[in-house]
């Protein structure tokens, strides 16, 4: 139930999971390595930026590594790759990048995915 709530569009509309068309959906899972001791702060900045409403974004989940709290994982689901690419130009995303840049030590694994559907 919590995951479905996380996937609810920011405009408050409810999308029935059987109405989601997965053809063309784009997924991305990436690791951001924070400067030591800055993982929680960087994660908070990423969460703030996702609250601004990003057109075409179906899910944006920020997670912190259990064994390494300075390892931040972002799981994204977009209506299309173009929607993801366009999001980088949004003022809120640019502001988050500027705000968090000094806390980023590097990047780890980055995997593009093709979401196929929801289980359950």
């Amino acid at each position: 139930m919590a995951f479905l709530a996380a996937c609810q569009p920011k405009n408050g509309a409810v999308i029935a999971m059987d109405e989601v068309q997965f053809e063309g959906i784009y997924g991305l899972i990436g690791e951001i390595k924070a400067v030591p001791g800055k993982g929680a702060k960087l994660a908070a900045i990423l969460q703030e930026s996702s609250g601004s409403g990003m057109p075409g974004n179906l899910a944006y989940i920020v997670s912190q590594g259990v064994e390494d709290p300075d390892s931040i994982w972002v799981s994204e689901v977009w209506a299309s790759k173009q929607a993801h690419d366009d999001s980088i130009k949004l003022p809120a995303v640019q502001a988050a990048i500027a705000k968090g840049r000094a806390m980023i030590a590097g990047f780890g694994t980055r995997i593009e995915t093709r979401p196929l559907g929801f289980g359950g």
Side-chain angles (χ1 to χ4, degrees):
M1 198 64 119
F3 180 72
L4 293 178
C7 292
Q8 181 174 344
K10 306 245 187 296
N11 65 9
V14 177
I15 299 173
M17 290 300 113
D18 60 349
E19 293 178 12
V20 175
Q21 301 295 318
F22 282 89
E23 187 172 326
I25 298 283
Y26 174 76
L28 182 64
I29 302 169
E31 178 186 20
I32 304 171
K33 297 176 184 258
V35 169
K38 298 293 185 182
K41 185 161 176 103
L42 181 58
I45 290 168
L46 292 169
Q47 288 175 296
E48 288 170 20
S49 73
S50 71
S52 64
M54 296 181 288
N57 180 257
L58 303 175
Y60 189 90
I61 302 168
V62 178
S63 303
Q64 193 171 24
V66 172
E67 293 180 15
D68 180 3
D70 292 319
S71 175
I72 306 303
W73 291 85
V74 180
S75 303
E76 306 174 51
V77 179
W78 295 86
S80 67
K81 184 170 185 334
Q82 188 64 52
H84 170 265
D85 294 348
D86 290 346
S87 73
I88 303 299
K89 302 170 196 158
L90 295 171
V93 173
Q94 286 293 312
I97 291 169
K99 190 174 181 180
R101 184 172 281 131
M103 291 178 240
I104 297 173
F107 297 90
T109 302
R110 181 181 188 277
I111 301 169
E112 292 182 85
T113 66
R114 183 177 12 156
L116 301 174
F118 295 102

